[in-house]
Structure formats: C-alpha cells, structure tokens
C-alpha cells in the first residue's frame, strides 16, 4: 500500500474521510465555519488535517450530498446558508397539482412551554418531564387556512424561544441554524389520510369527517439526533404531497 493510499484509509478504525467530514460538519454546526463562508482549498485542508487531498475530496463530496456545503465552479466550496427559500424548497413537500411549489404563509402562531409527555420523550429522545416548547400555527395559501401544525422542540436546544425578537418566522430551520446553531440535515415523514375532526372542520371551512392528510415528521441534526417533532393536519384540496425517492 502506498503512503498516499495509507493516509486515505483509516485512523483508529474509522475511515479518514468520515473523520474529515465530522470535523468540518462540527465547524459548520458550531458556527466556526459560518453560513455562506468559503472553505479553504482541498490542498489547504489536507495540510491542516494531515490527510491526502483525495480524502478531503471524498469528505467534501459527502458534505455536498448532505447539502452542508455547495461547490461553485471556479470559486470554491462554501457552507450552505439555510435561507428561508432553501429551507422551504428542501423540506416543504406540498405542491400544486401541476407541479408548482406551494409557498405557504403562517398565522396565529402560539408558543407555549411545558414538560414533555411520554410520546414527546419517545420522539425526541428526552428524559421524562424534560422542558419543551410547543408551537401551534396555521399555514395559509392565498389567505385560505389549509394546514394546522403542531411543533415540539427541546427547550434545552432553543433557550428563550418564546421571547425571540421578531417572534417565530414562517420557516423554522433557517432560524434553528442562525439563532441556535442547530443544523437540520434530514427529516423523516410518515403520511396518511384521516377524517377531519370537528375541532378542525371550522378552521378549514369543511364538514366534519371530510378526508384530510396527516404528516408526522421528525427532523434530525448533524448527529442524527431528533430535534423537532411536527404533526401537520392538512386539507390539501387540489394540492399534493410529493417526495423524491432514491
């Protein structure tokens, strides 16, 4: 095995590219590499981290697939900045029937504190009675309420969320990164149909029992730890839920 190959293989049984990926991901999560910042060149990173350029390139390829960095031809590699548009287009999966993206608004947002119940503890891997934030809001399209959202977050990860200047924005994940250093990298959605309960029928302007869509989401951070549990109840009415597979 050549010295170049050896330097690209493993250290302490862990592939070197995984270790480089972990190091850079930590720097992104902590803000040491700020959103939008340019990364050093592959040559510079290899020298700093004591690995080959091939190892750095493999780590950057992984970070690119995870959408933590973006490569710009002739300019270099940059930390992804989770803007409201980026968050919306990546994580909101409701579309018009003709394929156009839905750009929802929000209203009636409420933030309340409490102690995690058994299901919240299970979904977010919290200790019994851990403090949580519960966010409730309506999502709107052209002033029509079409979705009720309930979001649960660990209060330890998001201190003083209830007194955040500017309140709770329309998109959450960019706020998570910018204000709290929490970077969402993936989400798992379960989707099913249900009969609209009486409590929501008036909100949506439909009859009790009308079919609605339920979306049960858990969102995960860099450590693949659950950060957010979100339940969405939607009267899509001509809209569709669309997810890419593979």
């Amino acid at each position: 095995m050549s010295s170049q190959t050896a330097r690209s293989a493993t250290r302490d049984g862990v592939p070197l590219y995984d270790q480089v990926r972990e190091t850079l991901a930590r720097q992104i999560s902590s803000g040491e590499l700020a959103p939008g910042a340019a990364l050093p060149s592959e040559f510079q990173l290899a020298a700093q981290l004591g690995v080959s350029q091939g190892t750095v390139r493999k780590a950057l390829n992984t970070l690119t697939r995870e959408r933590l960095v973006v490569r710009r031809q002739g300019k270099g590699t940059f930390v992804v900045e989770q803007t409201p548009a980026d968050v919306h287009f990546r994580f909101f999966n409701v579309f018009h029937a003709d394929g156009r993206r839905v750009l929802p608004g929000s209203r009636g947002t409420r933030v309340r504190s409490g102690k995690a119940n058994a299901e919240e503890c299970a979904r977010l891997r919290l200790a019994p009675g851990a403090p949580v934030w519960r966010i409730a809001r309506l999502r709107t399209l052209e002033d029509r309420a079409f979705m009720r959202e309930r979001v649960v977050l660990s209060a330890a990860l998001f201190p003083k969320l209830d007194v955040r200047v500017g309140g709770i924005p329309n998109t959450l994940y960019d706020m998570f990164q910018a204000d709290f250093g929490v970077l969402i990298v993936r989400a798992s959605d379960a989707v099913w149909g249900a009969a609209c309960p009486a409590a929501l029928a008036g909100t949506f302007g439909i009859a009790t029992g009308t079919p609605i869509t339920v979306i049960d989401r858990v969102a995960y951070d860099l450590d693949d730890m659950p950060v957010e549990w979100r339940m969405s109840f939607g009267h899509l009415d001509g809209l569709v839920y669309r997810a890419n597979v593979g």
Side-chain angles (χ1 to χ4, degrees):
M1 180 182 290
S2 70
S3 60
Q4 180 81 352
T5 301
R7 293 172 72 211
S8 300
T10 64
R11 182 182 293 156
D12 298 326
V14 179
L16 285 182
Y17 80 88
D18 270 347
Q19 295 185 31
V20 172
R21 179 263 174 205
E22 177 71 11
T23 296
L24 295 174
R26 290 289 174 198
Q27 292 175 355
I28 292 170
S29 180
S30 69
E32 182 178 346
L33 287 171
L39 271 65
S41 69
E42 290 181 2
F43 177 80
Q44 292 171 320
L45 285 171
Q48 291 173 12
L49 300 172
V51 298
S52 70
Q53 283 185 251
T55 294
V56 169
R57 187 172 301 116
K58 192 170 183 180
L60 291 177
N61 287 341
T62 300
L63 291 170
T64 301
R65 288 194 299 272
E66 294 173 334
R67 299 187 186 183
L68 297 181
V69 301
V70 59
R71 286 172 161 172
R72 296 173 183 158
Q73 187 68 31
K75 295 183 179 180
T77 303
F78 297 82
V79 178
V80 166
E81 184 172 8
Q82 288 198 335
T83 64
D86 173 77
V87 168
H88 172 79
F89 290 134
R90 183 176 174 190
F91 290 104
F92 196 77
N93 298 322
V94 177
F95 293 75
H96 293 278
D98 61 7
R100 290 178 295 120
R101 286 188 175 273
V102 169
L103 298 172
S106 299
R107 73 173 186 233
T109 301
R110 301 190 310 276
V111 182
R112 294 177 178 170
S113 62
K115 293 183 178 181
N117 60 35
E119 190 166 14
E120 291 166 344
C121 287
R123 294 302 189 97
L124 297 178
R125 302 182 199 170
L126 299 174
V132 294
W133 298 116
R134 298 187 182 103
I135 302 172
R137 62 181 180 174
L138 281 175
R139 305 311 299 271
T140 60
L141 179 61
E142 298 175 351
D143 294 326
R144 174 179 74 88
F146 76 99
M147 186 174 288
R148 166 72 73 183
E149 285 185 345
R150 299 173 185 168
V151 178
V152 183
L153 307 168
S154 166
L157 289 177
F158 303 97
K160 299 182 180 179
L161 182 65
D162 58 336
V163 293
R164 179 184 180 272
V165 175
I168 302 300
N170 190 39
T171 55
L172 299 182
Y173 297 168
D174 51 317
M175 175 192 71
F176 291 177
Q177 181 185 17
D179 291 8
F180 302 99
V182 175
L183 188 61
I184 299 298
V185 297
R186 73 178 183 92
S188 177
D189 288 358
V191 184
W192 65 88
C196 185
L200 280 179
T203 299
F204 294 150
I206 58 178
T208 300
T210 299
I212 60 172
T213 301
V214 182
I215 306 170
D216 181 332
R217 162 175 292 184
V218 178
Y220 297 83
D221 67 6
L222 279 169
D223 296 318
D224 212 36
M225 290 295 292
V227 168
E228 174 204 59
W229 178 33
R230 180 184 306 209
M231 292 291 295
S232 302
F233 305 84
H235 177 51
L236 300 189
D237 191 23
L239 305 175
V240 297
Y241 178 93
R242 178 177 296 164
N244 294 321
V245 179

